[in-house]
Amino acid sequence: IVDNSVDEAINGHASNITVTLSQDRSSVTVQDDGRGVPVDMHPTAKKPALEVIFTTLHAGGKFDQGSYLTSGGLHGVGSSVVNALSESLTVEVLRGRKKYRQEFSRGKPTTKLKSLGKARGTGTTVTFTPDPEIFSVTKFDPALIRTRLETSTFLNKGLTITFKDESQGTKEVFCHENGLTDYLTSLVKSSEIG
Ligand code: 1YM
């Protein structure tokens, strides 16, 4: 889910990504200020594009053309995979001066895509809770998330990711203007003795 936001950022459409870990560590919310996941009707599926994106494994489509940059190598399949493995998942989209929401459980819609009325701005917010019927450990590890987010900002020069950890009441902003050079510096520092 984070990689979808990072893809939107590295293609020049988003500048802020915020990841929030809930107080009990059971859910994560990922928010970006990109274009918002498309909500228009899918012509053949006869469902909103958002629902298709979150319920079907994509073969690639637009990602196959070669002009599209992706951070995770997942080419858009991530949304439906995370959804299938989540006990609950909620998507909120700001797009075309409106706010939309759809909820899912174990990959299946539990509500239709609803228009919630007028709103400013654009972007996507996804909140999900891993399914205990699939994972033996469903609580997130803040240290793991922290490292994963910081690594993404090392690999994508200038990308800013904010991590809000409500389980510890902390907030960190990751941004590395010098990308991989900063990464090497941090590796050298952490390997130094004393
Ligand atoms: C919190 C997770 O998924 N952001 C996101 C996803 C998409 C877009 C924007 C997007 C892409 C495009 C056009 C495009 C996705 N779009 C698709 C699909 N954040 C998160 N932000 N408009 C919006 O690439 O052309 C899949 S994901 F399939 F519609 F292109």
Side-chain angles (χ1 to χ4, degrees), residues 26-192:
S26 68
S27 71
V28 164
T29 299
V30 184
Q31 183 173 24
D32 69 58
D33 61 355
R35 291 167 291 178
V37 171
V39 291
D40 50 299
M41 271 292 161
H42 192 281
T44 48
K46 297 195 168 87
K47 291 171 185 176
L50 184 147
E51 185 171 326
V52 175
I53 290 163
F54 278 83
T55 57
T56 51
L57 270 174
H58 287 288
K62 71 189 176 67
F63 301 104
D64 293 337
Q65 268 94 61
S67 60
Y68 206 82
L69 303 170
T70 69
S71 58
L74 287 169
H75 304 277
V77 302
S79 309
S80 57
V81 172
V82 172
N83 196 13
L85 305 178
S86 295
E87 187 174 42
S88 63
L89 182 144
T90 303
V91 190
E92 281 191 5
V93 168
L94 296 175
R95 198 176 158 104
R97 297 177 190 275
K98 278 187 178 173
K99 183 175 186 169
Y100 300 86
R101 183 188 293 143
Q102 188 166 18
E103 291 167 27
F104 302 84
S105 179
R106 305 196 161 101
K108 302 254 187 286
T110 54
T111 69
K112 289 189 168 188
L113 178 71
K114 290 179 192 161
S115 167
L116 305 177
K118 283 191 177 180
R120 284 170 197 267
T122 62
T124 306
T125 304
V126 175
T127 300
F128 61 98
T129 309
D131 185 354
E133 288 182 7
I134 292 172
F135 300 102
S136 54
V137 177
T138 53
K139 299 273 175 167
F140 288 96
D141 177 352
L144 221 70
I145 296 175
R146 187 193 178 282
T147 303
R148 172 68 172 68
L149 297 180
E150 184 168 35
T151 301
S152 191
T153 63
F154 280 129
L155 295 173
N156 298 287
K157 219 188 256 191
L159 174 70
T160 302
I161 303 182
T162 301
F163 178 36
K164 291 183 185 167
D165 181 354
E166 292 179 346
S167 74
Q168 301 185 91
T170 56
K171 178 180 144 177
E172 278 183 281
V173 180
F174 301 115
C175 181
H176 293 285
E177 286 305 332
N178 302 309
L180 283 175
T181 313
D182 284 349
Y183 186 47
L184 293 177
T185 307
S186 85
L187 285 181
V188 170
K189 273 188 191 153
S190 62
S191 71
E192 277 169 1

Side-chain angles (χ1 to χ4, degrees), residues 12-27:
H13 301 291
S15 40
N16 294 294
I17 300 172
T18 302
V19 177
T20 307
L21 176 61
S22 65
Q23 198 164 14
D24 66 358
R25 299 184 181 170
S26 68
S27 71

